[in-house]
Amino acid sequence: MTARKRAHARRSAEQAGSRTEHRQDLLREMVRIRRFEELCVQLYSAGEIRGFVHLCIGEEAVSAGVLGALTPDDAVVTTYREHGHALARGIPAEAVLAEMLGRVTGCSRGRGGSMHLFDTDRRFYGGHGIVAGGLPVAAGLALADRLRGNGQLACCLFGDGAFAEGEFHETANLAALWELPLLLVCENNLYAMGTPLTREHAQIDLAARAASYGMVAWAVDGMDVLAVERATRRAAELVREGHGPCFLELRTYRFRAHSMYDPDLYRDKAEVERWKQRDPITALVRRMQTEDGFGEDALALLEKDVAGELDRALEKARQGGPEPVEDLLRFVHSPQEAS
C-alpha cells in the first residue's frame, strides 16, 4: 500500500470513528430523554409531580437533532412539551426534575413546573404554556441579535397547532420582512391536542405554506435524528449567512396522549402502533448495528449509564425544599427604587 493510500485509509478510519462517536452521542441523548419521560410517568402516577405534564415520547429525534445542531449562544424558545428540549440544551436533569417537583432548586425555582422551564444562562427561554406564545418572543430575540450583529440566531420550536394561530403568521411575516435571524421549527405530530391535522388545516403541507412568506422552508422526517440534525445545520447556516428566517417542518409523532390527563380517545390504536414501528431510537440503533458494529453490550452499557444518571438526579432533586414563604412575592413586583 502506498503512503497516499495509507493516509486515505487512516483518514477514513478517523472519520468513521468520529461518525460512530457522534451517533452514540445522539443515541444517548435520545435514550436519556426517553427514560427521563418514563420516570416522569412514574413520579406523576405516585403523586410527586402535579399539574399538567406533556411528554415527548416518540419525538426524541427532534430534541436531540435540533438542539445538537445549535451553538450555546443561540437562543431557544419552545413550547410546554419541552422536557426533551431542556435536557438536550444542557439543563441538568436534577434541575428539571426539581422544577417538576416544585423545589426551589429547580431551573425556575419551582414556580413554573413542567410547562415553564427556563434557564437564561443557557439562553433557554421557555416553556410557554400558551399555544404559539413563544413565537413573538423568539422574533424579539432574533431582532435583538440582528441589531447587535453578533451572528447568533433564535430558534423557536412549536407544534402544528401553533401554525393555526395568528402569532405564527404575524411572526413569519415580520421575520421575513425584516430578514431576522430566526429558525422556525414546527414539530408536526399530526395532532393539535386532540384535533387531527386534516381537520385543522385546509392545506396540510405546512412547509409550503411557510414558504409563501418568502422564506426557505422544507419538510423533514422527524423520526430520523440524523436527518433532523442535517436539516437544522443547513437551515442554521442559511440564517447565519443573512438569508432571513428559515422554516423546518419536522414530521414526527407522540406515542403517548397529549398530556397525562388526556384519555387519548381521538386516535386509532393501530395508528399509534404503526408509528411505533418507526421509533427514532430503535431506528438509529439498527443503523448503528449495521454500519458501525454497535453491539448489544454497548447498548446495555449506555442504558446503565443513563439509568445511573437519572437515579442520582432524582435523589438530588428530592433533597431540595420548597421556596420560603417570605420569598413568594419575589419576582412578582418590580423592585422599587428608594425615593
Side-chain angles (χ1 to χ4, degrees), residues 36-37 40 44 49-55 79-83 86 96 99-102 110-118 127-128:
F36 181 94
E37 297 289 66
C40 288
Y44 184 91
I49 294 177
R50 301 184 182 184
F52 289 100
V53 174
H54 305 82
L55 304 174
T79 70
Y80 47 75
R81 196 183 307 279
E82 85 277 38
H83 306 158
V96 180
E99 182 62 33
M100 297 177 71
L101 294 173
R111 293 174 174 235
S114 172
M115 295 198 293
H116 302 286
L117 305 176
F118 272 70
H128 290 264

Side-chain angles (χ1 to χ4, degrees), residues 20-29 288 294 302:
T20 300
E21 291 175 4
H22 181 62
R23 289 180 176 182
Q24 287 180 350
D25 289 341
L26 289 173
L27 176 62
R28 188 188 189 282
E29 194 65 76
M288 291 172 64
F294 188 72
L302 185 151

Side-chain angles (χ1 to χ4, degrees), residues 9-224:
R10 184 171 60 254
R11 285 195 300 271
S12 298
E14 290 173 353
Q15 290 171 358
S18 176
R19 180 193 69 187
T20 300
E21 291 175 4
H22 181 62
R23 289 180 176 182
Q24 287 180 350
D25 289 341
L26 289 173
L27 176 62
R28 188 188 189 282
E29 194 65 76
M30 288 198 294
V31 170
R32 183 168 170 258
I33 294 169
R34 176 72 59 88
R35 302 301 172 240
F36 181 94
E37 297 289 66
E38 292 170 348
L39 175 59
C40 288
V41 173
Q42 298 174 25
L43 296 173
Y44 184 91
S45 300
E48 288 194 65
I49 294 177
R50 301 184 182 184
F52 289 100
V53 174
H54 305 82
L55 304 174
C56 68
I57 292 176
E59 301 182 13
E60 294 87 357
V62 172
S63 298
V66 172
L67 276 299
L70 302 177
T71 73
D73 293 326
D74 295 328
V76 177
V77 183
T78 182
T79 70
Y80 47 75
R81 196 183 307 279
E82 85 277 38
H83 306 158
H85 304 150
L87 293 173
R89 184 59 173 178
I91 302 178
E94 57 263 30
V96 180
L97 282 170
E99 182 62 33
M100 297 177 71
L101 294 173
R103 309 301 167 89
V104 72
T105 50
C107 57
S108 299
R109 297 181 62 84
R111 293 174 174 235
S114 172
M115 295 198 293
H116 302 286
L117 305 176
F118 272 70
D119 190 327
T120 56
D121 289 340
R122 292 178 173 83
R123 299 205 77 196
F124 188 86
Y125 302 106
H128 290 264
I130 302 300
V131 174
L135 282 154
V137 175
L141 289 165
L143 177 59
D145 284 336
R146 180 192 167 188
L147 293 174
R148 294 188 182 106
N150 54 22
Q152 297 165 196
L153 62 80
C155 175
C156 186
L157 297 107
F158 53 95
D160 50 284
F163 203 101
E165 299 289 332
E167 290 91 337
F168 169 77
H169 300 280
E170 293 165 352
T171 298
N173 181 62
L174 277 179
L177 185 64
W178 294 345
E179 298 182 341
L180 298 183
L182 178 62
L183 176 56
L184 298 167
V185 179
C186 179
E187 295 184 73
N188 181 4
N189 60 25
L190 305 182
Y191 289 91
M193 204 169 190
T195 304
L197 188 72
T198 52
R199 298 189 66 178
E200 181 187 9
H201 297 280
Q203 167 56 270
I204 63 172
D205 188 339
L206 303 185
R209 291 175 63 192
S212 71
Y213 285 101
M215 68 179 74
V216 177
W218 72 96
V220 182
D221 180 1
M223 306 300 277
D224 182 343

Side-chain angles (χ1 to χ4, degrees), residues 240-314:
R240 294 188 207 283
E241 289 175 351
H243 296 286
C246 202
F247 178 94
L248 294 178
E249 178 192 347
L250 304 184
R251 295 174 178 173
T252 184
Y253 198 83
R254 53 176 165 81
F255 295 164
R256 295 187 66 96
H258 169 72
S259 71
M260 289 294 293
Y261 280 109
D262 184 1
D264 201 11
L265 301 178
Y266 47 85
R267 301 189 296 185
D268 183 69
K269 296 298 184 286
E271 175 187 294
V272 179
E273 291 305 315
R274 284 196 301 273
W275 276 92
K276 284 183 177 180
Q277 298 305 308
R278 298 180 56 197
D279 188 312
I281 294 175
T282 304
L284 182 59
V285 168
R286 288 173 178 167
R287 186 166 182 172
M288 291 172 64
Q289 288 173 336
T290 301
E291 299 178 4
D292 305 319
F294 188 72
E296 293 295 332
D297 290 344
L299 180 59
L301 186 61
L302 185 151
E303 288 276 11
K304 181 179 179 181
D305 182 48
V306 168
E309 178 194 351
L310 294 182
D311 285 344
R312 293 188 295 273
L314 180 56

Side-chain angles (χ1 to χ4, degrees), residues 224-247:
D224 182 343
V225 67
L226 299 178
V228 171
E229 185 186 46
R230 282 195 303 270
T232 305
R233 290 192 188 282
R234 176 187 168 199
E237 183 178 353
L238 290 172
V239 172
R240 294 188 207 283
E241 289 175 351
H243 296 286
C246 202
F247 178 94

